């Protein structure tokens, strides 16, 4: 979820934003309010419900989602609840600004591993190349937030989840489910790969960063990132 959530951030999750569950059995009881596009949500990972993932809601039930992996742009055709049909006849790109070089780099190591680091981090291990990530502001409905993309780097689109009856890299969100994406677009395992998230798997909405600790690899002491404490978008 870089650049909006970083390793070391302690987040406050509003657990009753969307639903209420039995505190003993942890079973879904009833829905409170539906998520909105742009919400950052904690949910149970569909391939292992014991794991919790944090991603952003980009698709609501009935929405048609398309991800243009060449231009790294998200396309949404919203669902019209009142008429129970697709409202717009044509897909429209989500709004973006021109973008600029971010404070993060993708490092490819000789060992075959890769990592996303801040420019200020010390890269001590042997590496093959370093790519500086680009930052864009993405606007969905009335919510704006920053995303990261890796220039010249294509994600693993051959591993995309294929919905029967839909085109490649295009999905129609079923009733009672949601489409999630990470803000670090080329380095995120999300609904593009594992499919839709049912509403009973939603844990809560991320509303606040209450503490943020910064520790660079092999470096001590840990410092507090006071500037990161506050509301998260």
């Amino acid at each position: 979820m870089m650049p909006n959530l970083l390793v070391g951030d302690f987040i406050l999750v509003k657990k009753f934003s969307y639903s209420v569950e039995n505190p003993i059995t942890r079973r879904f009881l009833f829905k409170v309010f539906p998520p909105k596009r742009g919400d950052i949500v904690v949910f149970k990972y569909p391939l292992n419900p014991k794991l919790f993932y944090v991603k952003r809601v980009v698709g609501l039930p009935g929405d048609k989602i398309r991800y243009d992996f060449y231009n790294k742009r998200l396309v949404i055709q919203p669902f019209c609840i009142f008429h129970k049909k697709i409202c717009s006849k044509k897909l429209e790109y989500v709004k973006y600004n021109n973008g600029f070089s971010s404070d993060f780099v993708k490092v490819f190591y000789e060992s075959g591993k890769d990592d996303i680091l801040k420019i200020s981090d010390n890269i001590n291990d042997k590496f093959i190349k370093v790519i500086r990530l680009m930052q864009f502001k993405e606007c969905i409905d009335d919510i704006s937030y920053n995303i990261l993309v890796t220039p010249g780097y294509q994600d693993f689109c051959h591993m995309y989840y294929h919905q029967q009856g839909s085109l490649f890299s295009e999905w129609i969100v079923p009733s009672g489910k949601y489409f999630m994406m990470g803000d670090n677009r080329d380095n995120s395992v999300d609904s593009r790969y594992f499919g839709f998230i049912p509403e009973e798997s939603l844990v809560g909405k991320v509303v606040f960063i209450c503490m943020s600790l910064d520790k660079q690899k092999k470096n001590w002491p840990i410092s507090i990132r006071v500037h990161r404490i506050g509301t998260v978008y």
Side-chain angles (χ1 to χ4, degrees):
M1 285 295 292
M2 292 178 177
N4 300 299
L5 292 177
L6 304 180
V7 174
D9 286 347
F10 290 76
I11 56 176
L12 179 64
V13 179
K14 193 174 180 180
K15 297 190 66 176
F16 300 115
S17 294
Y18 307 129
S19 63
V20 175
E21 62 180 21
N22 187 307
I24 299 176
T25 64
R26 314 300 294 179
R27 291 184 177 272
F28 173 83
L29 294 178
F30 58 88
K31 182 165 58 176
V32 179
F33 296 107
K36 297 179 180 179
R37 296 186 194 92
D39 284 359
I40 299 179
V41 173
V42 175
F43 59 91
K44 298 174 184 177
Y45 180 45
L47 302 183
N48 183 358
K50 293 182 179 180
L51 297 178
F52 295 95
Y53 269 37
V54 181
K55 303 293 177 184
R56 191 178 297 275
V57 177
V58 299
L60 304 180
D63 285 352
K64 180 182 285 187
I65 306 296
R66 177 185 295 170
Y67 186 64
D68 183 346
F69 51 84
Y70 287 112
N71 296 312
K72 304 180 187 294
R73 294 292 188 269
L74 177 65
V75 183
I76 301 176
Q77 186 176 10
F79 180 71
C80 187
I81 298 176
F82 298 104
H83 299 289
K84 295 185 178 180
K85 63 181 181 180
I86 300 295
C87 291
S88 55
K89 295 181 180 179
K90 165 170 121 170
L91 293 174
E92 295 183 357
Y93 278 92
V94 176
K95 295 180 181 179
Y96 294 88
N97 69 347
N98 293 327
F100 57 91
S101 295
S102 75
D103 294 330
F104 298 92
V105 293
K106 187 177 181 70
V107 182
F108 297 86
Y109 296 102
E110 291 182 351
S111 61
K113 297 181 179 180
D114 58 71
D115 199 2
I116 303 294
L117 302 174
K118 293 170 62 179
I119 292 176
S120 59
D121 289 346
N122 295 321
I123 306 174
N124 298 319
D125 299 326
K126 294 183 179 179
F127 60 90
I128 299 175
K129 62 178 179 179
V130 176
I131 301 177
R132 188 157 179 166
L133 276 60
M134 292 292 294
Q135 182 169 306
F136 294 87
K137 185 173 290 293
E138 184 175 83
C139 300
I140 296 181
D141 298 334
D142 59 346
I143 299 177
S144 299
Y145 48 88
N146 295 317
I147 64 167
L148 296 175
V149 299
T150 309
Y153 180 80
Q154 187 171 315
D155 57 6
F156 299 100
C157 52
H158 62 283
M159 299 176 65
Y160 277 0
Y161 167 73
H162 179 68
Q163 183 182 26
Q164 188 174 4
S166 296
L167 300 175
F168 176 72
S169 75
E170 184 175 283
W171 306 268
I172 297 178
V173 186
S175 175
K177 296 187 178 182
Y178 298 88
F179 196 90
M180 310 288 187
M181 289 185 71
D183 293 341
N184 189 2
R185 291 292 157 82
D186 295 314
N187 304 277
S188 173
V189 177
D190 49 40
S191 287
R192 290 172 291 176
Y193 300 97
F194 54 65
F196 311 105
I197 299 300
E199 59 186 5
E200 56 267 25
S201 294
L202 303 180
V203 176
K205 178 181 178 180
V206 179
V207 294
F208 200 82
I209 297 176
C210 51
M211 178 60 70
S212 184
L213 303 179
D214 184 17
K215 179 192 177 301
Q216 298 181 12
K217 292 182 177 179
K218 302 178 182 179
N219 286 344
W220 291 91
I222 297 175
S223 61
I224 299 176
R225 297 178 291 212
V226 179
H227 67 282
R228 289 197 52 78
I229 298 174
T231 304
V232 60
Y233 297 99

